[in-house]
Amino acid sequence: ARANTKCVASAMAAMGQELLAPPSVKGWDMGPAWLSSTTLLARYRFAMGTTGAEDDPGGKELAADVAWAKLGSDPAAIIARFFPEGLPAAVTAELRSNGGADLKVLAASCMQLPEYQFV
């Protein structure tokens, strides 16, 4: 995938990870310090913009170019790319029922899961 680098850097800062500027030498804190209402909404918007799942102005700014054809069309394979260790069966079933037909929606949904926020 390719995207506008200035917009990606701006989006990363909005998500609480300013590139090349960690808060300390150990990097960014995990757990509750990692997420806030503001950063979580920024991450949701980034997921939608990156995948093009909705007509999001942020996505147009990112100018993300994902090679969807190379990813295949199998929803299980797409989910496995995001969660190689797997997910609970109920979560996988919900992902497949909500976005399985549209890979962009499926990918955005994977990126928006709480489990993905701590990857």
Side-chain angles (χ1 to χ4, degrees):
R2 291 182 298 256
N4 180 310
T5 54
K6 288 183 182 180
C7 289
V8 170
S10 176
M12 294 299 294
M15 291 186 279
Q17 281 196 314
E18 188 171 346
L19 296 176
L20 304 175
S24 71
V25 295
K26 71 175 185 153
W28 286 271
D29 292 327
M30 295 297 290
W34 174 249
L35 293 174
S36 70
S37 298
T38 303
T39 59
L40 186 59
L41 289 173
R43 290 182 180 133
Y44 283 179
R45 185 170 185 226
F46 184 77
M48 298 304 282
T50 302
T51 60
E54 283 186 2
D55 190 19
D56 179 9
K60 290 180 179 148
E61 292 171 8
L62 284 169
D65 180 21
V66 179
W68 293 105
K70 290 183 180 180
L71 294 175
S73 60
D74 178 24
I78 299 297
I79 294 168
R81 285 180 177 269
F82 285 97
F83 303 101
E85 296 85 23
L87 284 171
V91 175
T92 301
E94 187 69 25
L95 280 171
R96 293 184 75 160
S97 71
N98 285 336
D102 184 340
L103 295 185
K104 293 178 182 182
V105 172
L106 179 62
S109 296
C110 286
M111 293 170 70
Q112 292 172 343
L113 284 175
E115 292 87 347
Y116 188 75
Q117 302 306 312
F118 296 109
V119 171

